[in-house]
Amino acid sequence: MGIVSTITSTDDQKTLLPFTSVDLSYGWSFKQVDDNNEEGWLPVKKVPSMVQQDLIDNNKINDPFIGFNEIKAEWVGTKSWLYRLKFSVPAVGRQQNSMVVLAFDGLDTLADVRLDGKTILNSDNMFRSYRVDVTDMVKNKYGHDELTLEVELDCAFFKARQIEKEHPEHKWITFNGEPSRMALRKSQYHWGWDWGPRMITAGIWRPVYMEIYSARIADVRVDVDISPDYKTASLRASTQIESEANGLMAKFVVRRKGEIIASFVADVMNGTSMATFEIAQPDLWMPAGYGSQNLYEIYVVLSHNEQELCSGMRRFGIRKVELVQDPDAIGKSFYFRLNGVDIFCGGSCWIPADSIVTNISSERYRAWLELMVPGNQKMIRVWGGGIYEDDAFYDACDELGILVWQDFMFACGNYPCFPEMLKNVEAEALCNLRRLRHHPSIVIFAGNNEDYQVQESNGLTYDFRDKNEKNWLLTDFPARYIYEKVLPEAVAAEAPSVPYHPGSPWGDGKVSYDATVGDMHQWNVWHGTQEKYQIFDTLGGRFNSEFGMEAFPHLATIKSFVTDPKDLYPQSHVLDFHNKADGHERRIATYLMENVRPVTDLPGYIHLTQLVQAEALMFGYRGWRKQWGENRHCGGALVWQFNDCWPTTSWSICDYYLRRKPSYYALARVLAPVAIGVKRKHHDWSVSHAREPATSEWELWVVSSKQGEITVDIELRFISVETGKDIKAKIVKKDVIVKPNGTTTVVSGCVDNANEEKHVLAARLLVDDVVIARDMDWPQPLKYIQFPKRNVKVDIRGDEMHITVDRPVKCLVFEEREGCHLSDSAIDAAPDDEQVLTVRGLKNGADPLSWTYLGALEQ
């Protein structure tokens, strides 16, 4: 929640003017800069906006998300654009001792801002906010006199290329997009990424307004110290004031749930005011599943001679975050501790939720993030090639209890460090740290995404032992200066309670694939060596901050961008166009051919790609969470990626329309507060000429995030895939004590492949005779298994679906219908074990949800 300023007095007898803010969202028009026709001006519905959306609204381009329209709309990013607004200054601005300021929260990106033809601002950073004092310019134009505000946005595409050409001494190297993108402080994914379109946007992308005041609260800061026993919290509140007036007073008020718990009045001295508070027995902020998301508010009311001039507010949480990096038997740990509680950070990586970010409403942010809670995800990583997200994003994370890993906006490149660039980056960092630091959900700032991997893969100079900062700027990897000096110093000054990490991945200057230290991006499944996903857990490190597997979106999503029904087949041109990953055809084919029997119809093909994604991610998450309880071997896992910025095939677990893929549900089960796992030891059939081993060892374990021991019952059945009958007596373990916040090994054994028919290991965990967790281990690969006569029955009773089967069923997936929310899906089912799923939002009289499963066509 940002600073909120209000007018509390209109007594014009007072010498100081209360704060007034005028929203300048409406009345804008725009045109191409090179269009000299006065008739070329087009209306803008509202700012914030992007030029692509404004052109869509005026029927000048078609929706770039449909078909091949992306290509047809690329010309927009090669032009410069001019926005214009005519407005007047309220008569109240005539009062002496008052200022008139134009405030721009975000301009994308190269902006020449003019007032009545005179340039008042030149900006070149999408991520900064700007304020311009125009008092002298408007002092004779109050009331009905009209002013003209123009924002000319130069073409970022060509400007970036120009800067690149001007600096041949720099090594312009990138993984995605074209190298010139690094020349500008603009969202890097606008140049196209391996999951999104190339769309070079321009626009007034965050609010613009006019402020009139004699005094203004520029910032409210709260620093929190918590006693070792968490029974006392010390608050240090400070505020920055803009005013030339003397005799100002600041009243600080701390509230919790609307109740005032502390207040203090202080003088304003040299533009600042401070207050300290002691809070006994504070209500701590905890992530979802570990406690309540308790939030406090601090209000500051600025006054002069008892006249209220302005007010500001920050919402904050009382919590202590630690990034635990201690030497251990493996190397060095990497995990998070909140208020003394170790947290396994299972979660996802976040990209901007739209290529036109101004189309993401607060409600849409909330809907996205609300999916994480039933998905049992604890952390979201804001990726460094997008944007510092909207306040609504972080507000929702605070309220929902979602931890935020926040990258600074550098991604997949060797960034230049010209003197003007360094100044720009420092200003950008300070601007965003001051906006974000009060959010309790933010638990780490990271310097970049994969820039150290660019250095590593291209042999750029990086000597971690060299601590002479000036030397870094002289190397062919100068951005080390940003990640190891500029940004950490900014974080230490502005957000000292939040840990800083130089990059993702990074670990003490070692190679990025070192599994003993730091965080890791594990891409040897899908990319790299393209390992079998069944061994995902053996490939991880201390914290796996990226890994993934592609899957098609749901059919309804595909139909949203395919305009010709003849193109509704898996390898159609338009479907390939809506998958930006290099080599996606070969990689998808590899993982399908290795694991399942391919089909050619689109619905069946969608199901298979989604099944493979769900299986792959499950193998990773399940194993890494098990390792959490093995001396904190793995501190967390963040799948690439949670969401999409357009309708596409990608690594997302929820598509552009928030439709959940099967992997979403698979991850929710393995990340549940208490989960059970059972797994055979992997045997690589590809390198053994498809020979089956004589025996296969297996193990069964339970993981728990609960802070105390629990007692459970365990059941393990051995069920024939062909007949659905138990091939031998089940194993039952009563009154098993499950370790708190860790892993409990329960039982192990061996499958006799030579003498036992193919069977699944079906595990259940019960508390007070109620099943709370299941897992099922299948013979691998699934393509060798026959699936006849499953006899799946779905009995609908109100909002419940009761599921029974005669034989083991793999990946029973239900339709993701708009407006409907399922309690579970993509389940494995066993005979004599009815499962009950609930569906919320299904309209009365609507058809039941459709469903399918692996081998459904064999029935």
Side-chain angles (χ1 to χ4, degrees):
M1 182 176 293
I3 294 176
V4 178
S5 298
T6 57
I7 302 169
T8 54
S9 173
T10 58
D11 186 352
D12 59 10
Q13 300 301 313
K14 302 292 184 180
T15 59
L16 297 185
L17 181 69
F19 184 95
T20 299
S21 180
V22 179
D23 181 12
L24 299 180
S25 295
Y26 297 95
W28 290 85
S29 56
F30 78 110
K31 71 181 182 98
Q32 282 180 225
V33 168
D34 57 6
D35 182 355
N36 295 319
N37 184 359
E38 189 62 24
E39 301 301 318
W41 290 100
L42 299 170
V44 177
K45 284 185 176 180
K46 180 183 179 182
V47 299
S49 186
M50 296 290 198
V51 66
Q52 281 83 355
Q53 186 59 52
D54 295 333
L55 290 168
I56 293 170
D57 292 340
N58 284 278
N59 299 313
K60 297 300 182 181
I61 63 171
N62 294 321
D63 187 342
F65 292 172
I66 296 176
F68 299 97
N69 289 346
E70 174 200 344
I71 297 172
K72 298 175 183 178
E74 281 184 354
W75 67 269
V76 178
T78 66
K79 300 294 182 180
S80 297
W81 298 90
L82 180 62
Y83 282 73
R84 182 177 69 183
L85 173 70
K86 295 184 181 296
F87 71 104
S88 58
V89 180
V92 69
R94 290 196 186 96
Q95 185 165 325
Q96 292 183 349
N97 300 321
S98 66
M99 298 176 61
V100 180
V101 170
L102 291 176
F104 305 87
D105 282 355
L107 298 171
D108 180 15
T109 291
L110 302 167
D112 176 27
V113 182
R114 300 185 292 268
L115 185 61
D116 279 354
K118 181 179 179 180
T119 295
I120 61 172
L121 171 67
N122 281 302
S123 69
D124 60 355
N125 192 323
M126 178 179 179
F127 306 123
R128 291 174 59 184
S129 60
Y130 298 89
R131 300 176 56 79
V132 184
D133 184 348
V134 295
T135 306
D136 291 340
M137 293 186 65
V138 304
K139 60 184 178 182
N140 296 319
K141 294 188 176 182
Y142 295 112
H144 299 293
D145 291 338
E146 197 169 59
L147 298 162
T148 300
L149 179 63
E150 294 176 314
V151 179
E152 182 174 330
L153 299 161
D154 196 6
C155 174
F157 183 72
F158 290 128
K159 182 64 175 179
R161 286 185 172 183
Q162 176 188 334
I163 296 173
E164 178 188 19
K165 290 179 180 178
E166 291 172 353
H167 292 277
E169 76 282 2
H170 181 70
K171 293 184 178 180
W172 299 86
I173 305 170
T174 57
F175 283 164
N176 270 286
E178 65 173 65
S180 64
R181 64 175 171 81
M182 297 182 294
L184 293 180
R185 299 307 300 143
K186 174 176 171 61
S187 290
Q188 301 290 270
Y189 83 111
H190 290 169
W191 275 262
W193 223 261
D194 54 7
W195 35 257
R198 186 171 78 175
M199 192 177 298
I200 310 295
T201 60
I204 303 169
W205 79 289
R206 281 190 166 154
V208 55
Y209 37 90
M210 175 175 53
E211 296 175 348
I212 306 170
Y213 56 88
S214 296
R216 168 182 172 266
I217 297 174
D219 187 32
V220 176
R221 175 172 176 169
V222 182
D223 292 291
V224 180
D225 287 327
I226 307 176
S227 63
D229 60 4
Y230 298 95
K231 292 183 179 180
T232 305
S234 299
L235 309 183
R236 298 186 306 278
S238 61
T239 184
Q240 299 295 316
I241 306 298
E242 290 181 8
S243 180
E244 297 180 357
N246 297 316
L248 296 175
M249 305 292 291
K251 181 178 182 180
F252 295 81
V253 178
V254 180
R255 292 181 179 177
R256 169 85 177 105
K257 294 182 177 179
E259 178 183 349
I260 296 176
I261 62 173
S263 64
F264 184 78
V265 178
D267 293 327
V268 175
M269 303 292 291
N270 299 318
T272 64
S273 187
M274 301 182 66
T276 59
F277 303 95
E278 295 289 322
I279 298 181
Q281 303 298 327
D283 295 325
L284 302 180
W285 186 94
M286 291 294 287
Y290 290 86
S292 299
Q293 290 71 61
N294 298 304
L295 294 169
Y296 289 78
E297 296 168 344
I298 186 159
Y299 290 84
V300 180
V301 178
L302 188 65
S303 62
H304 181 262
N305 292 336
E306 299 185 355
Q307 176 199 15
E308 293 185 7
L309 300 175
C310 182
S311 67
M313 185 271 283
R314 289 293 196 198
R315 191 173 65 171
F316 65 97
I318 296 177
R319 60 98 177 92
K320 179 181 180 181
V321 56
E322 300 170 79
L323 176 57
V324 182
Q325 298 184 85
D326 293 335
D328 59 18
I330 301 168
K332 192 175 182 181
S333 65
F334 193 105
Y335 64 91
F336 292 88
R337 180 177 291 154
L338 268 291
N339 299 327
V341 178
D342 295 354
I343 310 290
F344 178 78
C345 292
S348 297
C349 297
W350 171 272
I351 65 172
D354 205 296
S355 289
I356 304 175
V357 293
T358 52
N359 287 347
I360 314 170
S361 65
S362 297
E363 293 76 17
R364 191 166 177 85
Y365 273 121
R366 180 83 186 196
W368 269 115
L369 292 165
E370 282 181 342
L371 291 176
M372 295 195 72
V373 178
N376 294 313
Q377 299 197 37
K378 299 294 182 272
M379 176 176 277
I380 192 84
R381 172 177 168 244
V382 180
W383 169 73
I387 60 173
Y388 304 96
E389 281 294 346
D390 189 83
D391 292 340
F393 177 93
Y394 304 99
D395 287 343
C397 290
D398 291 345
E399 295 162 6
L400 296 170
I402 300 167
L403 303 176
V404 176
W405 173 309
Q406 178 68 55
D407 283 357
F408 283 93
M409 293 300 115
F410 300 87
C412 299
N414 181 35
Y415 283 82
C417 288
F418 319 131
E420 61 272 20
M421 173 70 82
L422 289 176
K423 291 179 183 178
N424 208 352
V425 167
E426 182 177 11
E428 169 191 321
L430 295 178
C431 177
N432 286 283
L433 285 167
R434 289 167 182 169
R435 180 171 69 93
L436 300 179
R437 62 187 170 195
H438 63 285
H439 289 284
S441 55
I442 298 178
V443 295
I444 185 172
F445 288 106
N448 67 82
N449 171 80
E450 295 185 355
D451 291 359
Y452 285 98
Q453 285 188 313
V454 171
Q455 168 270 317
E456 179 182 306
S457 62
N458 289 278
L460 304 179
T461 303
Y462 181 52
D463 182 359
F464 184 62
R465 297 166 298 178
D466 182 2
K467 303 303 180 183
N468 187 327
E469 299 159 349
K470 293 182 180 179
N471 287 347
W472 306 344
L473 290 171
L474 302 177
T475 71
D476 55 6
F477 181 54
R480 176 186 182 184
Y481 189 86
I482 295 175
Y483 312 139
E484 298 182 34
K485 179 175 173 58
V486 174
L487 296 180
E489 288 182 356
V491 172
E494 301 295 335
S497 68
V498 180
Y500 176 80
H501 189 54
S504 182
W506 189 86
D508 289 358
K510 297 185 177 182
V511 293
S512 60
Y513 50 83
D514 191 317
T516 69
V517 63
D519 69 317
M520 172 184 283
H521 291 190
Q522 180 45 268
W523 281 108
N524 279 326
V525 173
W526 181 267
H527 288 304
T529 54
Q530 297 181 29
E531 303 291 339
K532 299 275 195 309
Y533 61 66
Q534 287 84 353
I535 64 166
F536 230 148
D537 60 327
T538 70
L539 304 175
R542 308 313 305 266
F543 194 106
N544 304 307
S545 46
E546 274 193 28
F547 68 103
M549 174 64 68
E550 272 207 349
F552 273 45
H554 289 286
L555 183 59
T557 296
I558 290 174
K559 288 183 175 180
S560 75
F561 64 80
V562 174
T563 58
D564 189 338
K566 294 194 296 293
D567 290 326
L568 291 172
Y569 63 94
Q571 290 84 28
S572 71
H573 189 183
V574 68
L575 262 67
D576 273 357
F577 184 75
H578 280 251
N579 186 341
K580 301 301 187 181
D582 290 346
H584 64 85
E585 301 96 336
R586 294 181 179 184
R587 286 168 170 80
I588 289 176
T590 294
Y591 284 101
L592 289 183
M593 291 298 294
E594 281 184 342
N595 291 283
V596 294
R597 281 174 279 170
V599 298
T600 57
D601 70 290
L602 183 56
Y605 193 86
I606 290 169
H607 179 250
L608 290 183
T609 67
Q610 293 182 345
L611 180 152
V612 165
Q613 182 191 49
E615 286 286 284
L617 302 186
M618 179 277 294
F619 271 101
Y621 270 107
R622 185 179 64 179
W624 292 327
R625 189 175 179 200
K626 177 176 181 288
Q627 292 171 12
W628 165 254
E630 297 167 348
N631 300 313
R632 301 297 185 255
H633 183 162
C634 177
L638 307 177
V639 68
W640 186 269
Q641 61 210 62
F642 186 60
N643 60 323
D644 280 324
C645 66
W646 75 318
T648 187
T649 295
S650 76
W651 297 273
S652 70
I653 63 173
C654 301
D655 71 29
Y656 176 73
Y657 298 105
L658 288 83
R659 296 185 176 107
R660 287 156 284 191
K661 297 179 184 178
S663 54
Y664 168 90
Y665 299 98
L667 303 188
R669 291 190 290 270
V670 297
L671 293 175
V674 179
I676 191 169
V678 60
K679 180 188 177 184
R680 282 170 248 228
K681 185 177 180 180
H682 175 69
H683 171 74
D684 194 335
W685 59 92
S686 295
V687 299
S688 62
H689 304 289
R691 294 193 181 196
E692 192 173 46
T695 60
S696 299
E697 297 176 354
W698 58 263
E699 60 178 333
L700 183 150
W701 67 92
V702 177
V703 290
S704 173
S705 61
K706 294 185 177 296
Q707 299 306 297
E709 292 182 346
I710 60 171
T711 301
V712 304
D713 296 334
I714 302 295
E715 174 188 280
L716 179 64
R717 296 170 61 197
F718 307 88
I719 307 171
S720 166
V721 174
E722 181 180 359
T723 68
K725 305 297 183 183
D726 290 46
I727 68 165
K728 55 186 175 184
K730 65 183 177 181
I731 296 174
V732 177
K733 299 287 185 180
K734 292 285 190 178
D735 299 324
V736 176
I737 304 299
V738 176
K739 298 175 185 177
N741 203 9
T743 301
T744 303
T745 300
V746 178
V747 64
S748 59
C750 189
V751 173
D752 183 351
N753 292 314
N755 298 297
E756 295 175 348
E757 60 185 296
K758 287 187 182 297
H759 61 280
V760 299
L761 310 180
R764 302 198 305 175
L765 183 150
L766 300 89
V767 175
D768 297 330
D769 296 324
V770 176
V771 178
I772 65 169
R774 293 178 173 86
D775 193 26
M776 187 178 290
D777 180 80
W778 291 75
Q780 299 290 331
L782 297 170
K783 65 183 179 181
Y784 293 162
I785 301 174
Q786 305 295 323
F787 291 94
K789 301 178 182 177
R790 301 296 99 177
N791 197 19
V792 178
K793 294 181 179 179
V794 179
D795 183 15
I796 299 174
R797 307 174 193 172
D799 61 356
E800 293 182 344
M801 297 184 293
H802 292 246
I803 300 159
T804 58
V805 300
D806 286 352
R807 293 167 180 81
V809 167
K810 183 68 187 172
C811 199
L812 175 59
V813 175
F814 288 86
E815 173 191 358
E816 290 288 326
R817 189 176 299 173
E818 186 174 359
C820 294
H821 296 269
L822 292 159
S823 62
D824 205 353
S825 188
I827 63 172
D828 292 352
D832 304 315
D833 181 20
E834 180 182 81
Q835 296 190 50
V836 180
L837 277 56
T838 60
V839 56
R840 177 169 52 88
L842 187 63
K843 297 179 180 178
N844 292 333
D847 292 335
L849 301 180
S850 59
W851 42 269
T852 190
Y853 55 91
L854 185 61
L857 296 179
E858 297 180 35
Q859 308 310 305

